[in-house]
Amino acid sequence: MNRFSYHRADTVEDTIKLLSADPTARIIAGGTNLVDLMKYLVETPSTLIDVTRIDALKGITETEDGGLRIGALVSNSAVAYDERVQARFPLLASAILAGASPQLRNAATTGGNLNQRTRCYYFNDPATPCHKREPGSGCSAIVGLNRIHAILGASDQCIATHPSDMCVGLAALAAEVHVAGPGGERVIPFADYHRLPGDAPQQDNTLQQGEIVLAVVLPQGGQGYAGHYSYLKLRDRLSYAFALVSVAAALEMDGGTIASARIALGGVAHKPWRRQEAEAALSGRAAETSAFAAAADLLLEGAVGHEHNGFKIDLARRAVIRALAQAATGTPQSQTDKRIA
Amino acid sequence: MPVHAIVGTQSVPIAVILNGEARSLDVSPATTLLDLLRHDLALTGTKKGCDHGQCGACTVIIDGQRINSCLQLAVMQDGKAITTIEGLSKDETLHPLQAAFIERDAFQCGYCTPGQVCSGVALIEEGRATTREEIREHMSGNICRCGAYPNIVDAIEDVLVQRGLLVREAAE
Amino acid sequence: MPKNETHVGSPHSRVDGPAKVTGTATYAAEFTTPDLAYAYIVESTIARGRITGIDAEAAQAVPGVIRVFTHENRPRTAWFSFKYKSMVGPPGTPFRPLYNNEVQYSGQPIVLVVAESFDVARHAASLVQVTYEQHPHETDLGRARQDSYVPPSKRLGIAPPPKPRGDAVKAFGEAPVRVSGEYTIATEHHNPMVSIRRRSPVIRPWRWQPRSCSRITA
């Protein structure tokens, strides 16, 4: 760990000022990813801004139009076990409980979950070239071990994936990210928050210099999916491992017919992967395997495997079909009993 | 003094309740809670395994929540109540889960045990695990390289049964 | 065979139980000594080659750093390789830490920063600059397979494997049902959890670690 200055911020305004003044300053809250990266010297911030005392970032509240506003400091556990979230947005609760461990979920925050870095082995090892960590240095994963890497939306500079489960649920629920910066507050649709690597893989998201995440808002519309959803996560062990492939599937059913659908994939791209065409293709269709398979094919269009991760394409296709079937029948994947029904 | 006045790389004063006792400490910003406990306070019951939040050996209970102390900066603990393995037993009286760990032989080398016990105590207080399957899932953040998992589940199950939170399934 | 049911597979309350469940059991890093110093290891960032230079000036200048050890300034250590051999290690020449400028693997300990506190040692270690002359390496067993050979049956210091029994190839060939496939598994290490491996925070004289058969070498 490098030497850094420690600031305890009182207000969002203080934080923005400090962040704007120093591009190498970092916000710290739960610390579960940042402290880890600092020990590996992947992150060497000059300044840590402790935002855990800022009341404006705390709590889950109702929005005027019937949605929920989750403050950036609310822990992953607090979101997952919140009664309102469980009743109205159970897909989000399920996605969160599929990730990490109870200890990590107790510490990790909503804002931190959005901004966590990839678990690409090479990003986490400063001895190896990595465009994301050190732009211009190269990508070790493309020619190295890439079993856990992206099959969609990657570039020739970076094939890292975003590691979050929570964000896959938030993507499917079309959440909004509320941020504040030197220019005031703005709202970023979840689909636009994280970005594809392109030729700037060092940028995980579209936050600007000096901006801080205030809250994530779940719009009221997501509640229509509470009855028919599933978060299906496939990984190398049953618990406490990052996804090889995960699927957040949510349906609005009209009898046996799908009224509308949302599907997001985790573990396959630099951001939670959604595609309007795949979701639109399910509207008005009967909830049956052929429809699910067609949607899966559309969602995975253009998927490319590397030396070790080609299996993910087929795995993702089957996982989408299975998760949609679970959603349609109203029998979501249990995050405790991992047998897949 | 406004709290944002704390600036720089110098040691920072913090006040915590550690195992029920009020403590005032000076900590360097780069010191983790785990290193503070083990090095500065000689509370070596909390173990350093991976030091990266992967093994759970460093689990302590902060304001009622189980947390990996290796990923917490000590300087951020100001005002918090921290319970370590040393704070779970009073004199010769063990916490029921500690007694159950002995009874059920829920360890071999014992290195992961303090973290397992702290995590298990929090699990019992959380009250969300009501089956063996759920105990296993809720203990997934604690690794045991000796493989004492079935016995650890037995021990936790015993305490949940004692408290009427779980009805043991009939023996096969 | 005598029945052993009361001892095998059933829980037993142990004499070390109370110490282990209360956190008072002491492991290698938990014996205190007056004036105990802390060390942090700097590891090689190349897989094979030679160290051409170590700039430890900035690390040495950090207040609280006692000394930065490298192969160039380490105290005299044993020369004969058998002095480094562990009781259960395989035959061959064991690794000798900080012995010379040769890098044999990625992550090899090459510098030891000793300081008054763990934080200082860890910070100072991050300031050490190492330059290398990099040599080609092969870390993929699959690709190195063409160079594989049958080891000599007798190897100094290690008992020969037991003689084969039966004829597996013949039995498989004659089996009425055959299932055949090739499986590749990732490298698996058994790492004991007790923190006394690399990045061990505490310097101690040679001491056996109770359960892992690895030695502290600093």
Side-chain angles (χ1 to χ4, degrees):
Chain A
M1 227 189 285
N2 64 308
R3 285 282 183 265
F4 55 86
S5 287
Y6 170 77
H7 291 252
R8 232 174 250 166
D10 276 340
T11 63
V12 169
E13 293 69 36
D14 283 355
T15 309
I16 294 169
K17 248 180 246 164
L18 287 163
L19 277 177
S20 305
D22 181 358
T24 65
R26 289 281 181 278
I27 289 173
I28 186 162
T32 53
N33 190 213
L34 184 56
V35 173
D36 188 26
L37 292 172
M38 287 171 68
K39 288 181 182 180
Y40 286 129
L41 298 173
V42 172
E43 291 275 9
T44 53
S46 59
T47 298
L48 285 187
I49 309 165
D50 176 355
V51 296
T52 56
R53 320 268 152 166
I54 303 177
D55 288 335
L57 305 177
K58 295 178 182 172
I60 302 177
T61 50
E62 298 282 344
T63 64
E64 278 174 16
D65 64 350
L68 283 181
R69 182 186 194 276
I70 301 168
L73 280 177
V74 181
S75 75
N76 291 180
S77 294
V79 177
Y81 294 116
D82 184 273
E83 283 178 9
R84 294 161 292 179
V85 172
Q86 293 205 325
R88 288 148 61 182
F89 304 98
L91 174 60
L92 177 60
S94 189
I96 291 171
L97 293 177
S101 67
Q103 289 98 313
L104 289 169
R105 292 194 295 262
N106 281 344
T109 63
T110 300
N113 191 306
L114 261 58
N115 294 340
Q116 66 179 307
R117 311 301 309 270
T118 183
R119 293 329 194 268
C120 170
Y121 328 113
Y122 303 102
F123 174 77
N124 284 278
D125 178 1
T128 61
C130 168
H131 283 309
K132 184 182 276 299
R133 181 170 24 78
E134 201 182 329
S137 63
C139 174
S140 303
I142 287 174
V143 293
L145 296 173
N146 45 42
R147 185 167 183 274
I148 64 170
H149 290 76
I151 53 172
L152 286 160
S155 75
D156 59 0
Q157 296 204 17
C158 182
I159 58 171
T161 60
H162 193 266
S164 171
D165 289 299
M166 185 184 93
C167 289
V168 183
L170 289 173
L173 292 167
E176 297 166 347
V177 186
H178 290 227
V179 307
E185 295 190 13
R186 66 187 179 113
V187 178
I188 308 173
F190 207 83
D192 299 334
Y193 185 77
H194 295 103
R195 55 184 297 286
L196 294 177
D199 56 7
Q202 69 276 19
Q203 288 168 16
D204 293 350
N205 54 53
T206 52
L207 271 189
Q208 302 294 310
Q209 164 85 41
E211 282 187 325
I212 174 177
V213 174
L214 300 175
V216 168
V217 170
L218 295 166
Q220 191 271 342
Q223 295 178 38
Y225 299 99
H228 295 276
Y229 73 93
S230 187
Y231 190 77
L232 177 61
K233 178 176 178 179
L234 303 170
R235 46 191 148 173
D236 282 333
R237 23 173 222 247
L238 285 178
S239 296
Y240 203 10
F242 290 96
L244 290 166
V245 168
S246 68
V247 186
L251 300 172
E252 270 183 309
M253 298 297 295
D254 182 4
T257 305
I258 299 165
S260 73
R262 301 266 183 83
I263 325 167
L265 292 179
V268 297
H270 202 253
K271 61 188 284 188
W273 191 258
R274 266 184 82 184
R275 199 156 177 252
Q276 295 294 341
E277 292 89 333
E279 294 173 9
L282 284 168
S283 291
R285 294 279 306 268
E288 55 192 30
T289 307
S290 59
F292 302 153
D297 289 338
L298 282 167
L299 188 61
L300 289 161
E301 207 173 274
V304 182
H306 295 86
E307 186 180 352
H308 308 110
N309 71 351
F311 73 96
K312 276 191 176 186
I313 300 173
D314 215 24
L315 187 68
R317 185 174 182 276
R318 293 177 197 186
V320 169
I321 295 169
R322 186 63 64 97
L324 284 167
Q326 291 174 328
T329 53
T331 49
Q333 177 62 42
S334 164
Q335 302 305 349
T336 303
D337 180 350
K338 304 295 172 65
R339 281 171 296 187
I340 298 169
Chain B
M1 187 181 82
V3 278
H4 63 262
I6 297 164
V7 170
T9 58
Q10 300 301 311
S11 287
V12 179
I14 62 167
V16 294
I17 309 287
L18 183 56
N19 294 329
E21 192 188 327
R23 301 286 296 264
S24 294
L25 305 162
D26 271 322
V27 297
S28 147
T31 300
T32 62
L33 174 58
L34 175 60
D35 289 335
L36 175 78
L37 292 170
R38 289 181 56 85
H39 297 172
D40 301 2
L41 304 176
L43 289 171
T44 56
T46 306
K47 301 303 180 197
K48 182 180 277 196
C50 67
D51 209 21
H52 286 278
Q54 296 173 1
C55 75
C58 67
T59 302
V60 298
I61 301 171
I62 304 177
D63 288 346
Q65 307 228 57
R66 42 180 162 156
I67 300 279
N68 302 101
S69 62
C70 72
L71 296 179
Q72 293 300 312
L73 295 180
V75 67
M76 293 174 71
Q77 307 310 311
D78 188 38
K80 304 215 165 144
I82 301 161
T83 303
T84 68
I85 188 72
E86 289 91 347
L88 288 178
S89 51
K90 294 216 168 58
D91 303 318
E92 297 294 296
T93 312
L94 297 177
H95 184 282
L97 187 61
Q98 291 174 311
F101 261 62
I102 297 174
E103 179 68 22
R104 288 292 188 165
D105 207 358
F107 48 84
Q108 193 187 144
C109 83
Y111 198 77
C112 73
T113 307
Q116 299 275 4
V117 170
C118 283
S119 196
V121 165
L123 177 154
I124 292 161
E125 296 302 323
E126 288 158 10
R128 295 184 187 115
T130 55
T131 64
R132 285 182 69 87
E133 199 69 49
E134 285 171 355
I135 296 171
R136 285 167 55 86
E137 175 63 23
H138 286 261
M139 288 299 288
S140 62
N142 293 81
I143 311 294
C144 169
R145 301 323 298 151
C146 303
Y149 297 112
N151 305 41
I152 293 168
V153 175
D154 288 344
I156 295 170
E157 192 182 25
D158 281 354
V159 180
L160 289 175
V161 169
Q162 281 165 27
R163 301 203 171 178
L165 295 166
L166 184 152
V167 179
R168 199 186 298 278
E169 290 154 36
E172 59 271 25
Chain C
M1 238 164 66
K3 292 250 181 186
N4 214 1
E5 281 160 2
T6 53
H7 297 296
V8 177
S10 54
H12 281 268
S13 168
R14 304 142 173 266
V15 289
D16 51 350
K20 284 179 173 173
V21 302
T22 54
T24 52
T26 37
Y27 295 79
E30 292 158 4
F31 294 87
T32 48
T33 306
D35 299 324
L36 193 67
Y38 294 80
Y40 203 85
I41 293 168
V42 178
E43 300 169 351
S44 69
T45 58
I46 64 166
R48 185 164 166 259
R50 259 175 235 292
I51 299 163
T52 54
I54 297 176
D55 182 354
E57 211 171 304
Q60 187 70 64
V62 174
V65 169
I66 297 165
R67 193 158 160 196
V68 181
F69 290 99
T70 71
H71 68 276
E72 288 165 333
N73 70 358
R74 64 162 165 79
R76 222 176 105 81
T77 56
W79 188 76
F80 290 111
S81 73
F82 75 84
K83 294 271 193 189
Y84 293 83
K85 197 165 152 23
S86 80
M87 282 157 66
V88 293
T93 310
F95 171 64
R96 288 174 280 188
L98 305 192
Y99 188 72
N100 57 23
N101 67 352
E102 198 185 329
V103 175
Q104 297 173 333
Y105 61 96
S106 175
Q108 175 180 320
I110 52 174
V111 179
L112 188 71
V113 181
V114 181
E116 286 164 10
S117 81
F118 178 60
D119 294 341
V120 169
R122 182 171 59 186
H123 166 60
S126 74
L127 304 176
V128 176
Q129 300 290 324
V130 183
T131 51
Y132 304 94
E133 175 190 298
Q134 208 167 335
H135 297 167
H137 66 267
E138 180 58 81
T139 53
D140 186 331
L141 273 178
R143 283 199 283 258
R145 206 171 165 182
Q146 58 193 17
D147 301 326
S148 62
Y149 62 93
V150 178
S153 55
K154 273 189 186 170
R155 305 191 77 172
L156 196 64
I158 195 163
K163 284 207 173 91
R165 284 181 296 165
D167 188 340
V169 176
K170 182 164 171 276
F172 188 73
E174 290 168 357
V177 179
R178 272 175 274 174
V179 180
S180 172
E182 191 173 319
Y183 297 89
T184 306
I185 57 164
T187 313
E188 302 283 352
H189 296 281
H190 180 85
N191 286 321
M193 205 180 280
V194 57
S195 55
I196 200 159
R197 310 171 306 269
R198 51 189 216 160
R199 296 190 177 128
S200 173
V202 182
I203 309 180
R204 301 210 163 271
W206 293 81
R207 189 198 286 273
W208 285 99
Q209 183 192 343
R211 286 195 40 79
S212 79
C213 295
S214 65
R215 255 189 306 205
I216 315 167
T217 53

